[in-house]
């Protein structure tokens, strides 16, 4: 895990790029003949789930390395809000 403070922010921002890309490229009203089929929607969704899981692992590992109860609680609250927002997307 890196000691660069911006790395967790980058980990958290990645799903906010991937999920809308998959959503918009799967909409026939937007992409017409080029919209994703069922296979690519499922494969893309599973890939995004894998990437989000890996990202959350690294964020947890980063926060655990800081050894601060206040940061653990703050990270837990932000994680709940983050996961709720990702689920909303």
């Amino acid at each position: 895990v890196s000691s660069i403070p911006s790395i967790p922010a980058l980990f958290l921002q990645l799903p906010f790029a991937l999920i809308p890309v998959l959503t918009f490229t799967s909409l026939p009203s937007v992409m017409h003949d080029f919209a994703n089929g069922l296979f690519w929607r499922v494969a893309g969704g599973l890939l995004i789930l894998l990437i989000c899981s890996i990202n959350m692992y690294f964020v947890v590992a980063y926060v655990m390395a800081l050894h601060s109860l206040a940061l653990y609680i703050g990270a837990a609250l932000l994680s709940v809000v983050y996961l709720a927002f990702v689920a909303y997307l």
Side-chain angles (χ1 to χ4, degrees), residues 55-70:
N55 284 342
M56 287 306 293
Y57 167 78
F58 283 121
V59 169
V60 168
Y62 178 81
V63 171
M64 295 295 283
L66 297 176
H67 304 294
S68 171
L69 181 61

Side-chain angles (χ1 to χ4, degrees), residues 24-48:
F24 289 126
T25 58
S26 297
L27 292 174
S29 61
V30 174
M31 297 299 293
H32 304 290
D33 293 337
F34 301 104
N36 294 332
L38 179 62
F39 173 78
W40 289 114
R41 285 187 294 215
V42 171
L46 291 174
L47 185 62
I48 288 171

Side-chain angles (χ1 to χ4, degrees), residues 13-26:
Q13 292 172 356
L14 185 61
F16 294 108
L18 295 176
I19 294 171
V21 166
L22 180 64
T23 301
F24 289 126
T25 58
S26 297

